Amino acid sequence: MYRISVDSSRCQGHARCMAFAPEAFDFDDEGYAFVPDGMAETAELSESIRRAEANCPERAVKIEEA
Ligand code: SF4
């Protein structure tokens, strides 16, 4: 199981994560990314989520093994 999250202290709101994995990210009213509850835990890590993590300029996308 993997847990996906966005470190809100790092996120700058460029939306690159959304470009790579629109199914896994959403944005709050201030334009910062978060992972909706239904997507925060997954048994399989999709290639799109791996790319979102790799392409976040702020290293704000976190993937942890749960
Ligand atoms: S790419 Fe990274 S810094 Fe930019 S909105 Fe997504 S999580 Fe935040």
Side-chain angles (χ1 to χ4, degrees), residues 7-32:
D7 182 342
S8 60
S9 70
R10 289 176 172 258
C11 180
Q12 295 295 313
H14 329 85
R16 288 180 61 99
C17 51
M18 183 81 132
F20 284 95
E23 73 283 8
F25 297 92
D26 203 349
F27 285 81
D28 66 19
D29 291 344
E30 296 179 338
Y32 296 107

Side-chain angles (χ1 to χ4, degrees), residues 2-10 25 35 40 45 49 53 56 58-65:
Y2 297 92
R3 183 168 296 134
I4 307 157
S5 62
V6 173
D7 182 342
S8 60
S9 70
R10 289 176 172 258
F25 297 92
V35 181
L45 261 190
I49 291 174
E53 179 199 33
C56 172
E58 309 300 331
R59 313 303 281 168
V61 177
K62 304 289 181 194
I63 299 173
E64 301 165 294
E65 281 197 61

